[in-house]
Amino acid sequence: MGRSNQARLDLGALRHNLAHARQLAPAARVMCVVKANAYGHGAVTVAQALDPLADALAVACIEEALELRESGITSPILLLEGWFERDELPLAVANNLWVMVDNQRQLQWLEQARLPAPVTCWLKVDTGMHRLGVAPADVAGFHQRLQASPNAHDDVVTCTHFACADEANNAMTARQLAQFENLTDGITGPRSAANSAGVLAWPSSHYDWIRPGYMLYGNSPMVDPHPNTGSLRAVMTLVSSVISVRHVAAGESVGYGATWIARRPSRIATISIGYGDGYPRMAANGTPVLINGQRARLAGRVSMDMITVDVTDLDAVQLGDEAVLWGKDLPVDEVALHAGTSGYELTTRMPARTPRVVVA
């Protein structure tokens, strides 16, 4: 009933993409990143599919982790930003959560805490991203203090994060890896560096743990085509339907602001999806849309609840015909280019108004 908008989820594709990550890094354990509502796909649904297959999961904060625990997820869960208040640390221990340590305050809180059991710690090292992480000069000292603390498991994981790994020829990643190697030389314990781009394009970064996120959802993080992205399968397909078809004379405009003007007698299909449903408002005229598997082009400004599409060159389009906004045959990253953003943002900002429906 009602509007036909759905974000259809293919969990078989999700499992396939995880298997691809394992194939690329066979010696590493896999931490699946499900932060930000699993990149907009639905954290509980995705985590339940990954729980028996992943070595661990990762989220941004304890609220996201507790939602997964309450849904029955049993895998270890890493808090990628650590903890923000003292009282979160005992809660993390009670729920078998791992914590990232990336600053002096967190380290002191850990040392001063009274915990019923030690916690698994990941030590974040800043090798050039300059967002989070311990300065290179402090890495050895932090690692020693963690190993000395009864509140931390001895097996501290040392990790870093790449700034430019999505560019396969960017020298910065090689510099970050070289610095990470130098900083961890002589430090015991596992290491981790590879995000999705690292998994796909930088095999020397795989180490002991890989941390795929975006690639799990079937999307390529790479700026340019890469041979390791070809087998990724889209997990989310955003669909809607045609609710109106009309003829527009040459010279007439369509939509708010009259930003699209017909250069010829045209047929315009209205589709019941807009920026209130997660479709990007900044998508430009010409953004591709699939109707009955045929490519059409956005014609006019995106509205809150509707878009208009030029279907003049398509076979007969009728009310109720399915429209695919992105998914299996229309990569979300291609749509994102027309909107001046990234596929990360498009899926992550998908609102609850658009239901997620598991189809496979």
Side-chain angles (χ1 to χ4, degrees), residues 41-350:
H41 292 65
V44 171
T45 298
V46 168
Q48 287 175 340
L50 294 175
D51 197 24
L53 303 173
D55 297 296
L57 304 175
V59 297
C61 57
I62 199 166
E63 292 84 0
E64 292 181 337
L66 294 179
E67 178 189 20
L68 299 185
R69 285 287 180 255
E70 290 165 3
S71 71
I73 300 301
T74 59
S75 295
I77 303 174
L78 174 65
L79 307 181
L80 288 168
E81 296 178 23
W83 66 109
F84 303 94
E85 303 291 342
R86 286 179 181 269
D87 57 4
E88 291 181 4
L89 194 52
L91 193 59
V93 174
N95 287 276
N96 187 30
L97 307 180
W98 298 353
V99 297
M100 189 73 75
V101 178
D102 67 71
N103 61 63
Q104 182 70 27
R105 183 176 71 165
Q106 288 177 337
L107 180 59
Q108 290 177 342
W109 280 351
L110 178 70
E111 291 173 327
Q112 296 166 2
R114 295 184 177 182
L115 301 178
V119 62
T120 295
C121 296
W122 284 50
L123 175 60
K124 184 70 165 285
V125 179
D126 182 7
T127 57
M129 181 74 171
H130 299 326
R131 190 176 62 179
L132 292 176
V134 177
D138 298 328
V139 171
F142 265 69
H143 195 273
Q144 290 170 2
R145 287 171 64 181
L146 285 171
Q147 287 197 308
S149 173
N151 287 330
H153 276 297
D154 292 337
D155 210 19
V156 176
V157 181
T158 308
C159 68
T160 193
H161 192 65
F162 295 131
C164 301
D166 56 341
E167 301 174 29
N169 297 315
N170 194 307
M172 183 172 183
T173 304
R175 292 195 300 270
Q176 285 190 263
L177 278 168
Q179 185 175 45
F180 187 64
E181 288 275 353
N182 182 60
L183 291 170
T184 56
D185 184 34
I187 289 181
T188 59
R191 293 182 293 179
S192 177
N195 54 2
S196 288
V199 174
L200 292 162
W202 300 88
S204 61
S205 74
H206 292 168
Y207 296 116
D208 303 290
W209 280 94
I210 58 172
R211 310 188 307 271
Y214 196 53
M215 69 172 291
L216 290 177
Y217 307 101
N219 306 315
S220 171
M222 306 306 297
V223 172
D224 297 312
H226 191 281
N228 286 337
T229 65
S231 66
L232 294 174
R233 299 180 188 171
V235 174
M236 177 190 290
T237 299
L238 180 63
V239 300
S240 185
S241 64
V242 175
I243 60 172
S244 174
V245 180
R246 69 191 59 247
H247 293 276
V248 174
E252 290 292 309
S253 65
V254 174
Y256 286 124
T259 62
W260 187 89
I261 297 175
R263 297 181 179 178
R264 58 179 176 167
S266 301
R267 282 186 300 137
I268 300 296
T270 301
I271 299 169
S272 62
I273 197 165
Y275 61 79
D277 308 290
Y279 193 79
R281 184 180 181 276
M282 299 308 294
N285 289 327
T287 301
V289 176
L290 295 180
I291 299 180
N292 296 331
Q294 305 171 86
R295 282 206 170 211
R297 299 288 174 180
L298 198 67
R301 190 175 293 170
V302 175
S303 302
M304 184 181 294
D305 312 304
M306 290 174 279
I307 60 173
T308 41
V309 177
D310 182 3
V311 297
T312 308
D313 295 326
L314 272 60
D315 296 336
V317 173
Q318 302 178 1
L319 303 191
D321 285 351
E322 182 174 89
V324 173
L325 291 314
W326 63 68
K328 179 182 178 183
D329 298 312
L330 179 56
V332 66
D333 293 296
E334 182 179 350
V335 177
L337 285 175
H338 288 267
T341 184
S342 73
Y344 291 79
E345 182 178 22
L346 296 191
T347 62
T348 300
R349 295 186 67 177
M350 183 72 62

